[in-house]
């Protein structure tokens, strides 16, 4: 089961947090500070799964943003690792802003990507994506809520996840 979901920038500022178990506010700030310090201090060569207290941390870095998910001992780390990537892809599809793609330590611009078939690509958030998240936090929460319910992964299909947002957007337009 997922215990919490955090999105943090390199400066250690929390951009998104969702807890699936009750944690008091003062303990949340301490927990977030320790988790962020733990993940930011690791090198890119180290594993993205970390044992921490009575749970595991699964994290992934996208340019200046880290997504950290706290899970219990029974949850599959690889499934959560893929959930993080799927979440980023859904955000990308909704906000339509991928800065560039990193492939085997070679940066490729969007125009180069269209001309080639890119496999094993890692999408990188640009600064604009962090701003999209900050100024559309309600939309990001809706996306996360469509994917995870009470700490359990319930949906991974991008079109189904985004359907409620597209309906809200149409209603907002008029």
């Amino acid at each position: 089961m997922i215990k919490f979901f955090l999105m943090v920038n390199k400066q250690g500022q929390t951009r998104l947090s969702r807890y699936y178990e009750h944690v008091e506010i003062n303990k949340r700030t301490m927990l977030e500070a320790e988790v962020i310090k733990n993940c930011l201090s690791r090198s890119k060569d180290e594993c993205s799964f970390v044992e921490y207290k009575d749970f595991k941390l699964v994290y992934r870095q996208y340019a200046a943003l880290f997504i950290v998910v706290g899970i219990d001992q029974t949850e599959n780390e690889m499934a959560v690792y893929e959930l993080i990537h799927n979440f980023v892809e859904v955000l990308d599809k909704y906000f339509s802003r991928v800065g560039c793609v990193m492939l085997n330590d070679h940066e490729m611009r969007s125009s180069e990507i269209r001309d080639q078939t890119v496999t094993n690509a890692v999408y990188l958030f640009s600064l604009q994506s962090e701003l999209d998240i900050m100024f559309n936090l309600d939309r990001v929460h809706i996306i996360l809520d469509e994917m995870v319910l009470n700490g359990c992964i319930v949906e991974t299909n991008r079109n189904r996840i985004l359907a409620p947002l597209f309906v809200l957007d149409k209603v907002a337009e008029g």
Side-chain angles (χ1 to χ4, degrees):
M1 187 173 130
I2 296 173
K3 294 181 176 238
F4 59 84
F5 192 102
L6 301 173
M7 189 178 292
V8 183
N9 66 14
K10 279 188 176 179
Q11 289 76 35
Q13 299 166 319
T14 303
R15 296 298 180 204
L16 170 82
S17 67
R18 170 73 80 197
Y19 288 84
Y20 297 99
E21 290 183 346
H22 176 72
V23 180
E24 294 176 20
I25 297 294
N26 58 348
K27 290 185 180 178
R28 281 185 187 190
T29 41
M30 288 182 2
L31 174 70
E32 287 177 21
E34 291 173 13
V35 165
I36 291 165
K37 186 177 129 194
N38 203 337
C39 292
L40 289 177
S41 65
R42 296 175 62 85
S43 74
K44 290 185 180 196
D45 298 332
E46 292 182 275
C47 181
S48 294
F49 310 142
V50 181
E51 295 282 334
Y52 179 78
K53 294 189 178 179
D54 61 334
F55 52 90
K56 299 177 205 173
L57 301 175
V58 178
Y59 71 94
R60 237 175 144 154
Q61 181 180 358
Y62 293 90
L65 291 175
F66 283 82
I67 298 176
V68 184
V69 181
I71 59 174
D72 63 16
Q73 300 297 331
T74 61
E75 190 71 46
N76 183 335
E77 296 97 339
M78 283 305 293
V80 174
Y81 193 72
E82 284 302 310
L83 170 75
I84 293 170
H85 189 68
N86 192 37
F87 177 70
V88 169
E89 287 179 339
V90 171
L91 289 177
D92 172 50
K93 187 173 180 180
Y94 184 71
F95 293 115
S96 300
R97 293 199 203 325
V98 173
C100 56
V101 170
M102 189 70 93
L103 178 64
N104 297 333
D105 297 329
H106 175 67
E107 188 173 309
M108 301 176 74
R109 298 280 166 225
S110 299
S111 58
E112 295 174 86
I113 295 164
R114 281 190 289 268
D115 299 336
Q116 301 178 26
T117 303
V118 179
T119 57
N120 298 325
V122 177
Y123 291 93
L124 298 180
F125 277 129
S126 64
L127 176 61
Q128 184 62 42
S129 294
E130 186 174 349
L131 292 175
D132 283 337
I133 290 164
M134 289 172 52
F135 292 119
N136 297 289
L137 198 55
D138 58 332
R139 304 289 189 195
V140 178
H141 274 282
I142 290 170
I143 290 170
L144 184 58
D145 290 344
E146 289 292 320
M147 297 177 77
V148 180
L149 179 67
N150 292 331
C152 297
I153 300 168
V154 292
E155 187 62 71
T156 57
N157 182 297
R158 286 181 213 114
N159 293 328
R160 288 185 189 153
I161 293 165
L162 290 174
L165 283 172
F166 291 147
V167 170
L168 282 173
D169 290 345
K170 278 187 178 181
V171 169
E173 287 175 5

